Structures are given as structure tokens and as C-alpha cells.
Amino acid sequence: MVDALAVAKEILGKLKPRFTDVAVRVELIDSVMVKLWNSEPSITQSWIETRVGLYLTKDGKVFVTEVSLPNVGSVEDLARRVEKVVSALEPSEFYAPLPEPQTYTPLEGIYDPNVVKAMDDPGRYVELMVDAALAEGVDRVAGTLVLGREFIGLATSTGFEGSEEGTEVEAYLRSFKGEFSGHWAYGSRRLDEQAIKEVGRRSGYYATLASSKASFTPGKYDVVLSPLVVGNLANTVMFMASAMAAAVGMSMFMKFKPGDRIGSEHVTIADAPRDPLLAGSRSFDDEGVPTYDKAVIEKGVFKTLLHSTGTAAKMGAKSTGNAGWLMPHAWNIHVSPGEFASEEELISELGDGIVITNNWYTRMQNYVEGIFSTVSRDAAFLVRNGEIVGYLTRIRLADKLPNLLRGWVAATRDTYLIKWWEVETPTKAPYVLVRNVNLTKPTI
Amino acid sequence: MAKADEGLISRAVDYALSLGASYAEARYQRDVTDEVVLRNGRVVGAGSNVREGVGVRLLVKGSLGFAATNNLTWEGLKEAVDKAFARARSAARLRKEPIVFSEERLGRVTYEVVVKEPLENLDAESMIRYGREVSEAIMSSATKVKVPAVMIEASTNVEEKLIINSDGAVVRSLIPRVAVFANFVLVDPQKGTLQRMIEKGGSGGAELPKEWRLADEVRDEVRRLENVLLNAVEPPKEAVDVVVGSEVVGLLVHESAGHPMEADRILGREAAQAGESFVKPDMIGKFRIGTELATVIEDPTIPGSAGYYLFDDEGVPARPRYLYKEGIINEPLHNRHTAKIFGTKSNAAARAMDYASEPIVRMSNTYLKPGDMSFEELIEDVRLGVFIRSYMEWNIDDARWNQRYVGLEAYMIRNGELAEPVRNPVLEITTKGFYSSIVGVDRNLRFYLGLCGKGEPAQGVPVWFGGPDVRLSKIKLGVIA
């Protein structure tokens, strides 16, 4: 691979004389995905890309762009076009000068050479995952395995220079047994054969755990949510924790201020850029601010929004190292574990209720109030006296996020590394027990 | 037209064949998106996104490979072909049956959207002016409640493609699009908050935003929503006739007719992420899903639409498809791969989001067939009912059967006339439940913009969905807990 930082610096050199602030982020991507359908590959996809992101300001006016540059020489053409657009803008209320460069501590252990070695023949790892599912007795599987590496270079007009190379593994599998299905997902920086097998095993386990159907009546239930569901809901909460989401009316945090209690003492949800195992890890943000781990909700108390320099200046806060030039965002998400030794113990604690192992389509009626619903997919189980008694098909969790955070009473000690379609920001999460949750289903 | 080097793209196809591929295609695609973002009428920033590159797809030993690069030199394309070929060949040993495409007559054609006014006229300055006008219309129209946040995003997009494949397709296209997104929140200290998101979009030029008259539309809508926030009542507890407005109908047919009729879902190719379908191959042409008023059409050729195209990304000529016809499951959406499996012809549903995405079965513009009565006629004999005009929350399960739409602007219907507003009525219904309950459709066909998500990695493509206002018989509505 060429040196991403060298490319970033060369582009910076051409743009710096023409703008007040310039940040150049160059990402070199090399990745492969094997997609599975009916237990065999449907397509093998590869990407070899250079992505150039630019943050440019003049007199407080802000312009952000991502471009495919055929060569660095074409930057000047781009600059001329951008200058014309910028002249039409007005100073942004979210503008703040780029920060002076600070020293950052590079993350260790985010590059695994075994991932790169496996990229030209991922079939072996695909087989491991599929075989582990089939060994559980399932009929067929579908899923993907992604292996990739990314080299990021960032250079800013205030003198920050940083680069980082990392690898990524993302694996998820859905197993089918008759009309039942199970699903598991995994995301990490490292190639871990055991973890990939575990994706297959767990998806197969859930597809075969119950042999009969059960039914439920809509109403309030105590529920155990799997790390996939917790990860999806934590992604929703962390999207809302972006200071820009709060500024534009797409956040329940509009109604709260730091220090407000919004959940039970068992709830801690944190941004974790320094976790080298999760693929979103970064040691500096897109403004060159060193990243650090921080709770957004700590023991039920709202601690902070996620800020860039610009949103922080507007809201009287400090950057939290989460730029995102216009939209600050979480890098990785940690949901804190609890005291229960296993999923089974947590289900025993549940007593009577429902276990939801996977969900999708989380949509909001109102971000400010946190009113939402989401639909279960794959295994959901009816539990009586702490025992699974049957398989439930497709139930809907329809409630308010603050209610869920207040009803969050327990979690497992073990946490799981999750990334897939519905858990876009890599997340480490436990199984969680939530009391008194509203569940619905169609009447006709 | 496209800046693609046709010689280079052809060379990539020839090179793939020379390696031993039985089929090869190379698709150059350049998407340029420019946008401005405003908050409470003030500019937050402007942005642009240029995605330009080539996606190569090939078949080797019955195994499908794809590689994308934005290095547009011969070396870059060669590397992409080499990787697609080597990795597909390596995966071939895991396949039981070879992948084969249907035989098709493919296009050798150049086409573009003819605009009334050049898209260049919609520069940053005019988009900002437009965004300010809409923001001001929202903020000034609420007289009894506060408006703490208004966000506007206005964008233009130009999509250029050159598709060449080894079966003879050479398709060049140029499609400009415009879109506007608005989000606003209304607050009353006693009644709480109400949130609304609006999207407008289509293919065309700088004339589109003027034709939408969005500022006038939101002025009226904010006044109506103010009434909803302050005065809405709970929906009736008993089953009543429900008139579902075209905005909700459009989304509903996209979710419950369009998606389940994608042949790749029916076959399970998208099972892991996007899900499967309640539709099974033996239901096609036989299974009754609704009343005779349930006809859902999918048509990429609608002029001005967001999902407009005349040839799909495999070079197959586009045409309207009748997904559900007079209540019967009729024709799935196909690409060349699924068509071969079904023993039929492709109906041109292969679309890719950008150069870095494989073409997969996608919707374009999906709508419920309208009737000939007016809205007044549709509701005139409803003694007690509810009209749901707009929505916010919705979702549907991965088999496309169990779905929920939560109304935002809704009214009681009393003795054939709209009456007091209703708060957040919940329509939670199965696909068959909905289509089997249709007892009337009016003539007011309207289309709405959507960004449809599917694929691994996820691809978002612009679509329209629409329909008339639809009357359902005896539906029990829910409430938000």
C-alpha cells in the first residue's frame, strides 16, 4: 500500500494556501466479502479504493467533501470549485478553528497480519463457520465473512499528522431449521478461528433450541435481550448522543442535561475508541484530537454528548475527540456487563417473560421522546419459570427508550463483540434483562 | 456524457474473458452529490461527494466474483479483474450448482434525462435560498407552539454510467436528481413534542424544487400539525373503517409488495441481512393476497421519477411489472440470475448503488393502482372512521408479513367528513390483512421519495413509492404505549 499520510500531506500542501482550515483524511481500503446463500457462496466481492475526505473552511464557512481523486494534481481543480461554493455560504454557527496539534498515543494491536494473509483465500474460514452451524443440525445457512485492511492518514493545516493501519473481520450467519432461524454476529480487528466458529455454532444453537411454537398476547413483559439487540439499541442511543443530532432535533438528549438520571444504575453506555479489538478503534479523530474512552450514560446518569471542536464551541463544551467534521459520532460502543454468570442464569432470573435474540428495523415516531419500535427476527422464546417453553415468531418491541433504560435491571458478566447490518458501530455488549417492556403484534 | 474511457472498460471485459471467465461485465459509474445543510434557517455547512470508479463482475466455473476500484488506470482495472477472478475461482469449490444467467436481448444505447432547466442552475446559493425559504415557512407558521429545531438538507446528484458486458450490452446513461429533506419538531409545554420528516425528490433539473412548492406545502402542514399536537384524541377502540392516505399507502406497498416480490429474496439470497419473503415460488400466479383492488405496479420508466432508468445494470430494457394483479401474486422482480432459476426472462430489476456495489434485484418506482373516485366520495359513507394522512414510525418483519405504521397527522371521520385530529394511531397489520381489507381507492395517485436499503454491503438506491388514498374495512387501530 502507498503511504496514506504522505498522500494526505501532499493534498494538504496544495489546499492550505487557499483556505483558513484544512483537514485531509486519506483512507486506503483493501477488503473482501464472501456472501453465503443456501450454505454456498453466492458472490465473492473485493474492494480496492482510495477515499479522500476534505474539511475546508474560509471565514467561518464550512465545506466537507469526499472524493475519488484520479490524481493529486486534480486537487487544484477541486479547490477552485469548492472556493466558488464556499463564497455562497454564510459563517456556520458550528465553526471553530481546528485545534492545535496534540500528541496522541497510537493504539497497539489493531493490525493482524493473519487477516491480510487470509484475504486471498477466505474459503477456509467460511467453511469453519458454516460447518459449525451445520453441526448443530440446521438445514441451511446464509451470511457473510468480511476480511479487510484500512490505512488512514490525517494531516491538518494546524500541523497535526497521524496515521494508523488496522484490519477488520466481520462475520455473521443466519441458520435455518424448518421455519425457525437463529443468528449471530461478530466483529473484531483480529482473525480468531474460535470466534468465527462460534458465530456458526450460536446461530445454529438458536435455530434448534426450541422445537415447538408458542404464542403471546400483546402487553407488558419482562425481556432478556441478546447482545445483538442490545447492540442495535445502543447504536440508536449513541446516534442520538451526537451533539449535532441533538442540535437538529433528532435526539432524546435534547430534553436532558449532563447530570440528569435517565436510566437505572445498571446502565452504562460508553464510546470506546481505545478498544483495539473493535474495528472502529481510532487514536485520533478527524480533527486530530486524541481519542479517549468516555461514558455517555454512566450508571444511569447522562454524562456528555459526543463533540467535535465545532459542536463543543457552540454548546460551551470541550471536544470529546469524536469528530466527524459535521456530525460527531461514536467510534466503538461498550455496554457495561452485569453480575450474571451466564445467559441461562439471566433467563432463570427472568422467570416469566420473553427472550429476543435478534431484531431489525428500529424506527422512531419521535426522537425527542425516544418513541420507537423494532421487530424481532430469528429466535425469540417464551420463558416460563426460567425455562424456555417455545419459539415465538416475529414480535414487536414498541416502547420509549427512556422506559427501557429505566427498566434495565441486570446483565451477564460476559460481553460479545458484535457488528452487522443492524449494529453498524462495532459494539461490545452483554445479555440484558429489562423489566416491563411493551410488546405488540398485528391483530389481522 | 460519461467521462469513462470506453476502450479501457471494454479491455477489462476482454481481459476477464481471456483469463477464463464465462461472463464478464465492467460498469463505470460516477456519482456527484452536492448538498447544503441548514439548521433553523442558518447554513451549517455544504458538502460534496464524488464516487467514481469501475465495478467488475464475472463468472468463473459457475462462481460469481465482483471487484471495485477507483484507480481508473489500466493497472487499477487489471488488479480488480485479477482479484475478482482469483477469488471467485477459489470460492468455486464451495458451490454445488453453477450460477448461470438467462439469455436476454441487451441494449446498445445511450440515454439521458432531459431537464427543463439545467441542474447547474441549482447551485449552492440557490439551494441555500430554497432551504431558508422552507425553514422560514416552518418557523413562522407555528403560532401556538414552539419550533425548537428545523433541519433542511438540499442536494443534487448526477449519476453517469457506462455498462459493457460480454453478452453485448453497451449502455451509457446520465440521470440527474434533486432531493430535499426537512425535519422539524413542535413543542407545547403541556402536550409535549411532535416530530415530522418530509422528503421530496425526483429525476430532472433545477425546475424540480420550484414545482414542489415545498414552502407552501409546509406552511399548511405545520398549521395542521399544531392542531394535532394540541387537540388530538385517541383513536376509537373498536374496529372502524380506516382511510390510509397515499403517503402511508406508498410506503406500505414498497414494504409489503415490492420487497417480498424481489426474486432474490424469494430464493433466499438476501436471507442473512435483508431477509426472505413470505412469497414462495409456487404462489406466483395463484395465491390471492387481496381484493380485486389490490394491484401493485413497479415501473422504472416513469418520467421524472427517483427510480428512473430505461436499461438496468445488466443491460436489460426496462418495463412496468405487475407485482400483485387484481389481488393475485403475479410477477416477481428479476435479474438475469434469478430469471434463469425461475425459467423466465429478466424484467430488468438489476441495480447497483454505485461503482463499488454489485447489481442486485431492486425496486424502482412502486405504486398501488388508483381508482376513479374523489377523496370525498371515498369517505362519504364512513359513519365513524379514521383518516391517516402521514406517518413517522414504521417497520416490517424480514418475511414482509407483519408490519406497523404509526400515523402522525390523522383525523376522525364522522358521518363522511373529517373531524377532530387523532394522536398517533397505530396500524399494525399483516400483508394479507391489509390487501384483503381494501374496499375503495380514490384517483389521487401521489408519489414519495425513498432511499431503499438492501444488499451486503448495504446499498441505498433512490426510489419512488406511491398510491391513492385507500379505504380499509373494519380495522382495529392501536395506540402508542
Side-chain angles (χ1 to χ4, degrees), chain B residues 240-241 243 373-387 411-420 471:
Chain B
V240 295
D241 279 8
V243 175
M373 65 172 90
S374 67
F375 179 73
E376 289 72 24
E377 288 167 332
L378 188 69
I379 67 168
E380 67 186 3
D381 60 345
V382 178
R383 193 186 57 78
L384 179 69
V386 173
F387 169 50
Y411 301 92
M412 295 295 295
I413 303 171
R414 293 185 188 279
N415 300 318
E417 294 196 345
L418 297 186
E420 71 273 24
R471 180 169 158 189

Side-chain angles (χ1 to χ4, degrees), chain A residues 374-443:
Chain A
T374 190
V375 196
S376 79
R377 47 187 280 164
D378 309 301
F381 300 110
L382 185 68
V383 175
R384 289 277 174 262
N385 299 317
E387 299 289 332
I388 286 172
V389 295
Y391 187 107
L392 295 166
T393 50
R394 297 182 181 104
I395 55 186
R396 186 170 276 104
L397 197 165
D399 213 311
K400 293 180 182 168
L401 281 170
N403 287 351
L404 248 72
L405 297 174
R406 282 193 291 270
W408 182 305
V409 294
T412 55
R413 280 204 290 267
D414 286 338
T415 52
Y416 301 82
L417 308 181
I418 306 293
K419 184 168 185 281
W420 80 293
W421 220 29
E422 297 295 319
V423 184
E424 223 173 328
T425 302
T427 300
K428 186 163 84 169
Y431 288 83
V432 170
L433 170 55
V434 185
R435 300 279 185 207
N436 211 27
V437 175
N438 189 57
L439 303 181
T440 69
K441 66 177 182 183
T443 48

Side-chain angles (χ1 to χ4, degrees), chain A residues 286-332:
Chain A
D286 287 349
E287 296 175 330
V289 174
T291 59
Y292 63 96
D293 296 348
K294 87 256 350 154
V296 165
I297 301 171
E298 187 173 35
K299 295 185 176 173
V301 175
F302 172 43
K303 302 299 282 189
T304 182
L305 293 172
L306 302 175
H307 283 292
S308 62
T309 304
T311 60
K314 166 77 181 167
M315 297 184 184
K318 283 186 177 169
S319 170
T320 55
N322 288 90
W325 290 318
L326 282 182
M327 184 85 182
H329 59 83
W331 299 103
N332 293 317

Side-chain angles (χ1 to χ4, degrees), chain A residues 30-51 62-70 78 81 85 88-94 119-124 126-127 140 142-144 170 172-174 176 181 183 220 244 246-251 254-255 314 326 360-369 371-378 393-396 398-400 403 420-422 438 440-444, chain B residues 36-37 39 41-52 57 63-71 79-80 83-84 87-88 90-91 93-97 99 124-125 128 132 148-151 181 183 185 192-195 197 255 265 267-276 337 341 355-358 391-400 402-404 406-408 424 428-430 433-434 437 453-458 474-476 480-481:
Chain A
D30 184 4
S31 62
V32 59
M33 171 192 275
V34 180
K35 176 168 171 163
L36 296 162
W37 162 30
N38 282 340
S39 312
E40 57 184 338
S42 58
I43 188 165
T44 306
Q45 302 179 79
S46 305
W47 294 272
I48 315 133
E49 291 184 277
T50 303
R51 296 181 191 159
V62 174
F63 189 88
V64 172
T65 180
E66 186 170 300
V67 287
S68 299
L69 288 171
L78 174 74
R81 289 206 305 276
V85 173
L89 305 181
E90 63 180 356
S92 171
E93 59 185 322
F94 292 94
M119 283 173 60
D120 275 331
D121 187 13
R124 190 169 90 75
V126 170
E127 282 179 299
R140 60 188 172 98
T144 68
E170 182 184 332
Y172 57 84
L173 201 69
R174 193 171 186 204
F176 295 85
S181 65
H183 188 120
K220 299 275 186 182
M244 188 57 81
V248 299
M250 296 178 75
S251 172
M254 279 178 82
K255 289 179 67 169
K314 166 77 181 167
L326 282 182
W360 85 330
Y361 246 121
T362 302
R363 292 290 186 278
M364 312 298 298
Q365 177 74 2
N366 184 321
Y367 282 83
V368 183
E369 307 293 343
I371 301 169
F372 79 104
S373 71
T374 190
V375 196
S376 79
R377 47 187 280 164
D378 309 301
T393 50
R394 297 182 181 104
I395 55 186
R396 186 170 276 104
D399 213 311
K400 293 180 182 168
N403 287 351
W420 80 293
W421 220 29
E422 297 295 319
N438 189 57
T440 69
K441 66 177 182 183
T443 48
I444 61 165
Chain B
V36 296
V37 181
R39 173 183 175 266
R42 293 189 59 189
V43 178
V44 173
S48 127
N49 194 313
V50 182
R51 300 274 295 153
E52 180 178 25
R57 194 169 65 138
S63 172
L64 193 59
F66 175 85
T69 181
N70 59 0
N71 178 353
E79 185 186 8
K83 287 203 167 170
R87 289 172 178 171
S90 162
R93 69 183 165 81
L94 301 175
R95 279 206 65 83
K96 296 170 213 126
E97 294 288 331
I99 291 170
E125 195 175 348
I128 289 167
R132 280 197 187 119
V150 176
M151 184 182 80
F181 168 79
N183 169 54
V185 176
T193 64
L194 177 151
Q195 180 160 31
M197 293 178 187
E255 301 291 7
R265 265 179 208 275
L267 294 169
R269 188 184 192 261
E270 301 300 314
Q273 275 189 338
E276 297 192 318
H337 180 196
I341 296 170
Y355 74 89
S357 304
E358 65 157 333
Y391 68 91
M392 275 291 288
E393 176 194 321
W394 89 99
N395 45 41
I396 186 164
D397 71 22
D398 57 301
R400 303 284 160 179
N402 159 351
Q403 59 217 284
R404 168 179 167 115
V406 183
L408 185 70
N424 296 334
E428 196 158 355
I429 196 163
T430 61
F434 174 77
S437 301
K454 185 181 172 185
E456 291 158 309
K474 301 293 170 222
I475 299 292
K476 200 167 175 338
I480 282 182

Side-chain angles (χ1 to χ4, degrees), chain A residues 215-251:
Chain A
S215 65
F216 81 106
T217 311
K220 299 275 186 182
Y221 287 83
D222 295 343
V223 295
V224 166
L225 307 177
S226 86
L228 277 74
V229 183
V230 174
N232 173 262
L233 297 175
N235 266 248
T236 304
V237 169
M238 291 301 256
F239 166 80
M240 292 188 187
S242 170
M244 188 57 81
V248 299
M250 296 178 75
S251 172

